[in-house]
């Protein structure tokens, strides 16, 4: 029998940042025997300032399709993300989670959203908040490479970055938000202003890479669950470029949209291997990094103040 809403509703929120290791940590949650991860990994429910009617046609085409009758199914099919707007549907994602002490919603929009922190606080004042941060200039460039890989953008990073800056503040699902998603100081302050500090765990992608065991141990201690270190560190969304000369990222984007609709997991992996390669990936120029550091300086200083972490490496040119 399903538990009561209080026994099953989410109590832990992985809020971002996008392109900073959230997919790896979400997969870790899926493996941990005491942690339940929503079948829709990113329901984005509390980002009430995201309006799906304003999504670009390209972004809308990449969203998984929720089939008719999905919410009435005994077991909900897993999918990467959706924009769940019904509270009944949102709670349905956690209906079978009563046996798990930790129930996770892992939506990267929550760090960017101006409304999510207050919404989560009203829904679950005792919630635990987890965020992973990455050098914001590196995050922006990694985001660009992903967008290039899947055909969301064309052209070099600089022209896309300047277009993005002109649109700032942008909108989720319409703009790429290359710059805005790295404004960590402003974003974290929204959470520190409504949650006690001991309910917030700020992690860093550099620690995940340098000492993954310690990284996962820290997560377990924060959540008060048994220590569990996976045998294999899951990694997805790595950078890649088109394998064939003349085959544009937009071309792969259209093939990917087709593949997402009809292919299984292994077939999707094979499709990517055929059309993409992980060599010959362009590097960010020193001049562009300098510009990003200059623009991010105040946000980095604020992030360092809030977290107590020495972030001087983020300011290196």
């Amino acid at each position: 029998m399903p538990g009561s809403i209080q026994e099953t509703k989410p109590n832990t929120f992985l809020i971002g940042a996008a392109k900073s290791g959230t997919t790896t940590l979400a997969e870790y949650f899926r493996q941990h025997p005491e942690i339940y991860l929503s079948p829709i990994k990113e329901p984005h429910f509390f980002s009430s300032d995201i309006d799906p009617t304003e999504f670009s046609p390209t972004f809308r085409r990449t969203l998984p399709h929720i089939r008719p009758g999905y919410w009435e199914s005994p077991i909900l099919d897993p999918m990467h993300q959706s924009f769940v707007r019904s509270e009944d549907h949102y709670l349905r994602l956690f209906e079978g989670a009563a046996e798990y002490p930790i129930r996770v919603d892992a939506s990267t929009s929550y760090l960017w959203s101006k409304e999510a922190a207050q919404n989560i606080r009203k829904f679950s004042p005792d919630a635990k908040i987890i965020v992973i941060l990455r050098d914001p200039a590196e995050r922006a460039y990694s985001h660009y490479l992903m967008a290039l890989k899947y055909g969301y953008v064309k052209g070099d990073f600089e022209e896309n970055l300047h277009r993005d800056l002109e649109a700032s503040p942008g909108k989720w699902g319409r703009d790429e938000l290359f710059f805005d998603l790295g404004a960590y100081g402003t974003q974290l302050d929204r959470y520190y202003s409504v949650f006690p500090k001991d309910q917030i765990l700020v992690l860093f992608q550099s620690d995940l890479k340098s000492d993954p065991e310690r990284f996962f141990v820290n997560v377990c201690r924060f959540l008060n669950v048994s220590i569990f270190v996976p045998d294999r560190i899951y990694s997805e969304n790595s950078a890649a470029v088109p394998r064939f000369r003349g085959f544009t990222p937009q071309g792969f984007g259209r093939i990917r949209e087709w593949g997402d609709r009809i292919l299984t997991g292994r077939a999707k992996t094979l499709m990517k291997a055929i059309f993409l390669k992980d060599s010959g990936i362009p590097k960010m120029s020193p001049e562009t990094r300098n510009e990003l550091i200059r623009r991010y300086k105040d946000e980095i200083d604020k992030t360092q103040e809030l977290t107590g972490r020495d972030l001087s490496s983020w300011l290196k040119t």
Side-chain angles (χ1 to χ4, degrees):
M1 293 291 291
S4 69
I5 290 176
Q6 196 62 36
E7 291 174 329
T8 63
K9 75 178 188 178
N11 55 18
T12 302
F13 298 85
L14 173 56
I15 63 173
K19 300 304 298 176
S20 298
T22 55
T23 299
T24 298
L25 185 53
E27 181 61 22
Y28 170 77
F29 287 152
R30 202 180 298 281
Q31 294 179 44
H32 196 293
E34 297 170 49
I35 299 176
Y36 178 93
L37 180 67
S38 165
I40 298 180
K41 182 174 77 71
E42 298 193 51
H44 301 287
F45 177 70
F46 293 103
S47 293
S48 51
D49 45 351
I50 292 179
D51 183 356
T53 66
E54 296 182 336
F55 291 167
S56 70
T58 299
F59 185 76
R60 192 175 292 114
R61 285 197 303 269
T62 65
L63 293 176
H65 175 67
I66 295 183
R67 57 177 172 76
Y70 176 83
W71 296 107
E72 290 71 43
S73 301
I75 299 177
L76 300 181
D77 295 335
M79 61 179 65
H80 174 67
Q81 69 171 326
S82 185
F83 289 81
V84 178
R85 289 296 172 258
S86 160
E87 184 171 6
D88 287 343
H89 287 169
Y90 181 70
L91 293 174
R92 175 78 173 82
L93 294 172
F94 299 89
E95 190 175 78
E99 64 186 275
Y100 296 88
I102 301 298
R103 301 171 293 277
V104 180
D105 170 349
S107 297
T108 56
S109 67
Y110 293 163
L111 183 59
W112 169 87
S113 169
K114 293 180 179 179
E115 299 177 3
Q118 286 281 1
N119 290 339
I120 294 171
R121 176 69 173 77
K122 290 176 184 176
F123 176 82
S124 182
D126 297 324
K128 294 193 173 184
I129 307 298
I130 300 176
V131 57
I132 311 177
L133 302 181
R134 177 182 188 177
D135 177 317
E138 290 183 2
R139 193 224 67 82
Y141 193 64
S142 176
H143 184 165
Y144 159 74
L145 291 176
M146 180 193 71
L148 185 67
K149 168 182 173 180
Y150 289 130
Y152 301 155
V153 300
K154 60 181 179 180
D156 62 27
F157 180 50
E158 287 73 20
E159 64 181 279
N160 280 281
L161 176 62
H162 290 137
R163 187 181 303 117
D164 193 64
L165 289 168
E166 289 172 5
S168 183
K171 293 187 176 181
W172 191 283
R174 187 197 70 184
D175 305 298
E176 285 296 335
L177 306 173
F178 294 126
F179 181 81
D180 291 358
L181 292 179
Y184 305 144
T186 298
Q187 295 162 359
L188 282 174
D189 193 50
R190 291 194 281 263
Y191 283 86
Y192 280 107
S193 67
V194 296
F195 286 100
K197 204 165 188 175
D198 63 0
Q199 289 177 222
I200 301 173
L201 176 65
V202 180
L203 301 165
F204 294 86
Q205 190 207 46
S206 56
D207 296 333
L208 174 59
K209 287 186 172 182
S210 65
D211 192 346
E213 181 172 347
R214 183 178 180 183
F215 180 93
F216 291 123
V217 166
N218 286 340
V219 171
C220 291
R221 287 175 175 164
F222 175 70
L223 297 177
N224 195 28
V225 294
S226 58
I227 303 299
F228 169 73
V229 178
D231 294 331
R232 182 178 68 87
I233 306 302
Y234 180 85
S235 180
E236 196 177 70
N237 302 327
S238 56
V241 293
R243 183 178 295 277
F244 304 113
R245 182 178 299 178
F247 189 74
T248 65
Q250 289 70 34
F252 179 71
R254 288 189 289 271
I255 287 178
R256 176 179 178 262
E257 291 167 14
W258 167 81
D260 283 345
R261 290 194 297 271
I262 68 171
L263 297 179
T264 62
R266 285 188 176 183
K268 288 180 184 179
T269 300
L270 178 60
M271 178 187 71
K272 291 178 183 179
I274 291 171
F275 289 102
L276 297 173
K277 62 179 181 177
D278 57 8
S279 60
I281 297 169
K283 303 293 185 183
M284 177 168 50
S285 73
E287 294 77 15
T288 302
R289 178 172 174 82
N290 288 343
E291 179 183 356
L292 281 169
I293 290 172
R294 178 180 61 80
R295 291 179 178 272
Y296 277 130
K297 175 67 166 59
D298 290 345
E299 292 289 349
I300 292 172
D301 289 344
K302 180 67 174 178
T303 304
Q304 185 167 263
E305 176 188 337
L306 288 170
T307 64
R309 174 82 170 225
D310 177 7
L311 301 176
S312 56
S313 64
W314 290 3
L315 297 170
K316 291 181 179 178
T317 57

